[in-house]
Amino acid sequence: MEKYDFNDRFILNLDTPEALRTHDLHVWYGNNEAIKGVDLQFEKNKITSLIGASGSGKSTYLRSLNRMNDGISGTKVTGEIIYKEVDINAPAVDVYEMRKHIGMVFQRPNPFSKSIYENITFALKRHGIKDKKLLAEIVETTLKQAALWDQVKDNLHQSALALSGGQQQRLCIARAIAMKPDILLLDEPASALDPISTSKVEETLVQLKEDYTVIIVTHNMQQAARISDYTAFFYSGQVIEYDLTANIFTQPQKKATNDYVSGHFG
Ligand SMILES: Nc1ncnc2c1ncn2[C@@H]1O[C@H](COP(=O)(O)OP(=O)(O)O)[C@@H](O)[C@H]1O
Ligand SMILES: [Mg+2]
């Protein structure tokens, strides 16, 4: 398959500075080259969706962006991931520090078996924030940003595990943004949720882009169409097409993209 080049329409549509960029990113699991040289740039304060069939490499690519593939034995990641002009894929980068800037929310809600309050303050305390008033402020702000505050403000010291799946996922979003990352990575964050919880999470993400750059993997094309500004179509470890979401869904330039978005495969 041809190597992907940024298409002219996308370049013309760049209206905000980039938050993150990959250059010639490859990921191998042993001999299986799951990502085959991906160049993408992500715009600040936008939502970008990564779509494509199961096994096309969406999760592998997303996880590489904050080096979640590090330490999986047999895995090799080459190429550059440029954040604030630094290649964060370089061995010398402190991955723990980097993840304060680039946070991740997983497919299944995974709150700690602690109170709602402690779920949000846990990492902050580990980073030395002890001031109770400040912690309480951050809890309130992040729960509001995650559209969960009104439902939990009277039960902050109850177990997070007592929340519904959708509430747990919004708590995980609140926990991720408590560290004030610039970029939030989400891997199918609504796939385990019912439709009402899904739409709450979607509303949350749309609100969050005022403050964050959001990159989301989704196999739900309606979801990508509803919430994202840009969409990248993955096929067999490559990006086939990357454009404004409206263009991807209404006038894709590549046949494979058209086949996928019109439901002919995947
Ligand atoms: N931890 C892993 N170990 C080995 N192979 C993996 C692992 N995760 C994913 N793969 C392989 O990498 C390819 C891409 O998978 P993945 O990134 O999960 O795709 P997607 O998220 O688009 O469904 C697939 O061939 C998959 O089998
Ligand atoms: Mg996946």
Side-chain angles (χ1 to χ4, degrees):
M1 185 161 295
E2 79 218 32
K3 182 141 169 27
Y4 173 79
D5 289 309
F6 286 112
N7 71 50
D8 297 340
R9 272 195 303 175
F10 178 69
I11 302 270
L12 289 175
N13 278 318
L14 285 183
D15 52 359
T16 50
E18 71 183 28
L20 193 69
R21 167 161 51 100
T22 66
H23 176 62
D24 200 25
L25 198 79
H26 296 253
V27 182
W28 284 266
Y29 296 110
N31 293 326
N32 176 17
E33 189 178 11
I35 294 295
K36 301 168 182 165
V38 168
D39 298 324
L40 277 180
Q41 54 195 65
F42 300 97
E43 301 313 299
K44 269 194 180 132
N45 297 99
K46 302 284 184 202
I47 300 180
T48 301
S49 286
L50 313 181
I51 65 168
S54 178
S56 59
K58 308 178 296 294
S59 296
T60 298
Y61 179 76
L62 187 83
R63 284 202 311 268
S64 302
L65 298 179
N66 78 345
R67 295 184 49 177
M68 286 288 171
N69 293 321
D70 277 32
I72 301 178
S73 101
T75 305
K76 191 171 82 174
V77 182
T78 66
E80 293 177 329
I81 304 169
I82 308 295
Y83 170 71
K84 299 196 180 204
E85 290 170 30
V86 173
D87 177 12
I88 58 164
N89 200 35
V93 165
D94 180 339
V95 171
Y96 189 69
E97 276 301 311
M98 178 269 287
R99 288 188 188 144
K100 291 191 210 165
H101 301 269
I102 306 176
M104 172 86 76
V105 174
F106 298 91
Q107 187 165 4
R108 299 213 148 258
N110 60 346
F112 306 130
S113 164
K114 292 174 181 291
S115 72
I116 294 167
Y117 190 93
E118 287 170 302
N119 261 273
I120 295 173
T121 56
F122 184 74
L124 297 165
K125 286 181 182 162
R126 261 187 28 198
H127 282 94
I129 302 176
K130 300 228 165 63
D131 181 340
K132 288 232 162 68
K133 194 161 160 265
L134 177 61
L135 288 170
E137 267 172 32
I138 297 174
V139 168
E140 180 171 343
T141 313
T142 57
L143 286 172
K144 281 181 174 163
Q145 283 184 309
L148 191 58
W149 174 251
D150 288 338
Q151 292 154 64
V152 303
K153 61 176 190 275
D154 299 322
N155 307 312
L156 292 176
H157 298 287
Q158 284 186 6
S159 170
L161 302 182
L163 297 170
S164 73
Q167 290 173 326
Q168 288 187 8
Q169 193 61 305
R170 278 176 287 144
L171 178 63
C172 292
I173 292 172
R175 183 176 67 185
I177 61 183
M179 295 304 295
K180 293 219 167 291
D182 286 335
I183 301 170
L184 199 55
L185 311 174
L186 304 105
D187 193 351
E188 304 198 16
S191 67
L193 306 181
D194 60 75
I196 291 174
S197 303
T198 296
S199 78
K200 292 238 161 76
V201 168
E202 289 180 5
E203 280 167 30
T204 301
L205 295 177
V206 170
Q207 278 173 29
L208 286 177
K209 75 175 181 174
E210 284 179 23
D211 298 301
Y212 304 93
T213 300
V214 177
I215 305 172
I216 178 175
V217 167
T218 179
H219 65 236
N220 178 334
M221 284 185 275
Q222 288 77 20
Q223 179 168 72
R226 277 193 298 266
I227 68 172
S228 53
D229 301 286
Y230 295 100
T231 295
F233 171 59
F234 278 70
Y235 181 83
S236 187
Q238 290 182 303
V239 171
I240 302 297
E241 192 163 350
Y242 184 33
D243 206 332
L244 289 170
T245 297
N247 290 338
I248 291 286
F249 285 100
T250 61
Q251 41 170 326
Q253 301 295 295
K254 302 279 169 70
K255 183 175 184 303
T257 314
N258 188 50
D259 286 351
Y260 185 70
V261 301
S262 58
H264 292 155
F265 73 90

